[in-house]
Amino acid sequence: MSVSANPELLVDVRNRVAHLTLNRPHALNALTFDMLKEMRVLFEQWALDRNICAVVVRGSGEKAFCAGGDVRSLYNSITGRGPRMHVDFFITEYTLNYQLHRFLKSTGKPYLALMDGIVMGGGMGISQGATLRIVGARTKMAMPETKIGLFPDVGGTYFLSRAKDAIGLYLGLTSNVIDGADAIHANLADTYLTREAQAALMDGLDHLQWSSTPLADVEALVKRLAVAPPPTPIARWDSAISRHFTGKPNVAAIIDALRADPSPDTREWSEATAAELMCHSPTLLEVTKRQIETSPKRVIADCLRQELGMMFRTCELPDIVEGIRALAIDKDNQPKWNPPTLAEVDTALVDSFFVPRWSADAHPLANLEQQFG
């Protein structure tokens, strides 16, 4: 396996397939700014290279595909304890997210994300745009942003609003972890492969006889290897999620509905879910609810443009610094949110996350469609 310009990204081209391995196993393959910049360059090169028929991205080590972004660097950037890089970081990350969502459409080349192990936050951002989102028995998927005073970004506006029923809102608010079978059920993954089938996929790609339609070639190979996922835990709560998370005016009403759940089959789950929500940033819970509920028909470019403005607003407020401090720096797990309760969240504050910060032409992501189609 050869090394790219960044040793945290390993590149190997075999049988016209570009294999990219995220190579930070000690950090669960969390994305750094340099990794994002190099990935943008690599995908641009592969888009133009006629010798490349497909791209596969996976994580190194046994634990993770990608656990997200480097939140310690984000903390240091926002607080001035390190280089001020978070603005450029998010512009680069969101541009890459769009680039990956458009890769098949703009090139005709399938992109496979092998979401084996932990896939959270930024890991979802680089995998949800894949042509084939592949999960398995070790997949642990989440958008955990509300735990750290953030909202589900990296395209979460788009893919969570398109999840099955109200599951996207449920996952965005609770930050709960789901497995590979859950991901298939929720429409956040496409194909379930066993560990053996994942190895067979790599071998199959190494020996694939390419036709003029690479997507059909890859789909036929994956279809032969795919298996039905095991019973999905989240399916047990489908009706309860829809009942409690749909049609409520605010997050406090969701919590009230959960606490009042009369069903003995779901009461324990409902009480645990309500307790979990009470631990998260009240402001960002309300922001996330509006973000997801208002976006099921929005295109990915507009979702990412909105998220960039939301991220700028988030970094102006104290909850993200406090959340990262409590969960990743001091690790006391006792964030002091401001304001501390849902009842104290001002609607005007929530509104401020959705006020455009730039004119359409001046937006840092204004030219996404011109760049990538």
Side-chain angles (χ1 to χ4, degrees):
M1 184 168 287
S2 59
V3 180
S4 72
N6 184 342
E8 294 174 336
L9 296 173
L10 304 181
V11 177
D12 189 23
V13 177
R14 308 190 306 270
N15 191 33
R16 307 186 71 184
V17 179
H19 296 265
L20 175 63
T21 302
L22 311 179
N23 190 39
R24 296 185 73 216
H26 60 285
L28 301 177
N29 301 317
L31 298 166
T32 66
F33 188 25
D34 286 342
M35 290 170 71
L36 293 170
K37 289 187 290 185
E38 180 68 11
M39 287 179 70
R40 281 210 54 206
V41 172
L42 288 169
F43 272 88
E44 287 174 358
Q45 293 174 347
W46 295 330
L48 298 172
D49 189 341
R50 294 183 178 180
N51 187 52
I52 299 298
C53 288
V55 177
V56 177
V57 176
R58 62 195 308 178
S60 64
E62 296 294 314
K63 294 182 179 180
F65 169 75
C66 175
D70 188 339
V71 295
R72 284 179 174 268
S73 294
L74 174 61
Y75 177 88
N76 290 336
S77 178
I78 295 172
T79 60
R81 291 173 169 82
R84 296 280 293 180
M85 44 65 69
H86 61 278
V87 171
D88 289 338
F89 180 99
F90 289 116
I91 292 172
T92 300
E93 183 174 31
Y94 294 178
T95 301
L96 174 64
N97 296 154
Y98 182 79
Q99 184 179 2
L100 298 180
H101 272 271
R102 300 297 296 173
F103 191 73
L104 174 67
K105 183 73 171 180
S106 62
T107 69
K109 303 173 183 182
Y111 157 43
L112 287 69
L114 195 59
M115 303 157 72
D116 189 36
I118 295 168
V119 50
M120 297 181 180
M124 292 285 278
I126 63 170
S127 59
Q128 285 299 311
T131 313
L132 289 172
R133 302 167 297 175
I134 298 169
V135 294
R138 300 196 308 176
T139 300
K140 297 183 184 301
M141 179 183 289
M143 290 297 285
E145 285 78 7
T146 55
K147 285 186 175 181
I148 61 167
L150 188 53
F151 61 91
D153 67 322
V154 296
T157 305
Y158 182 84
F159 57 77
L160 289 179
S161 67
R162 285 157 173 77
K164 182 178 184 290
D165 300 330
I167 292 177
L169 180 59
Y170 161 74
L171 294 175
L173 292 177
T174 63
S175 296
N176 283 354
V177 178
I178 60 175
D179 65 15
D182 287 335
I184 297 281
H185 179 77
N187 194 33
L188 293 171
D190 305 300
T191 303
Y192 192 96
L193 296 183
T194 65
R195 293 297 305 282
E196 296 77 14
Q198 292 174 31
L201 173 63
M202 297 300 104
D203 182 69
L205 290 171
D206 285 346
H207 297 90
L208 193 59
Q209 298 294 314
W210 294 102
S211 72
S212 60
T213 54
L215 175 58
D217 297 335
V218 169
E219 287 181 330
L221 172 61
V222 172
K223 185 177 180 179
R224 289 198 301 270
L225 297 170
V227 298
T232 164
I234 205 170
R236 293 181 57 196
W237 318 120
D238 262 354
S239 61
I241 290 171
S242 294
R243 185 167 67 251
H244 297 316
F245 284 80
T246 302
K248 303 298 187 293
N250 50 45
V251 178
I254 292 174
I255 292 173
D256 288 344
L258 288 163
R259 287 173 167 170
D261 191 339
S263 171
D265 295 330
T266 56
R267 187 178 302 127
E268 182 177 352
W269 170 88
S270 295
E271 291 174 352
T273 302
E276 181 73 24
L277 289 171
M278 292 296 293
C279 295
H280 299 175
S281 164
T283 300
L284 273 299
L285 284 175
E286 293 294 359
V287 168
T288 297
K289 181 177 185 296
R290 184 181 300 184
Q291 168 198 3
I292 295 172
E293 287 187 334
T294 59
S295 301
K297 295 184 179 180
R298 303 184 70 194
V299 297
I300 181 63
D302 286 344
C303 290
L304 289 165
R305 281 191 275 261
Q306 175 183 279
E307 288 178 10
L308 187 63
M310 293 170 66
M311 186 60 72
F312 273 63
R313 184 65 179 125
T314 302
C315 292
E316 295 169 347
L317 298 172
D319 275 7
I320 187 170
V321 170
E322 174 61 10
I324 296 175
R325 179 208 64 77
L327 274 77
I329 307 298
D330 297 338
K331 298 182 180 180
D332 58 27
N333 294 314
Q334 296 294 323
K336 294 178 174 57
W337 305 120
N338 183 17
T341 68
L342 285 162
E344 295 172 275
V345 176
D346 188 348
T347 300
L349 177 59
V350 178
D351 292 343
S352 71
F353 281 79
F354 301 92
V355 175
R357 301 181 74 96
W358 308 274
S359 66
D361 292 341
H363 196 293
L365 303 179
N367 297 319
L368 290 177
E369 293 91 341
Q370 288 77 14
Q371 287 179 274
F372 307 109

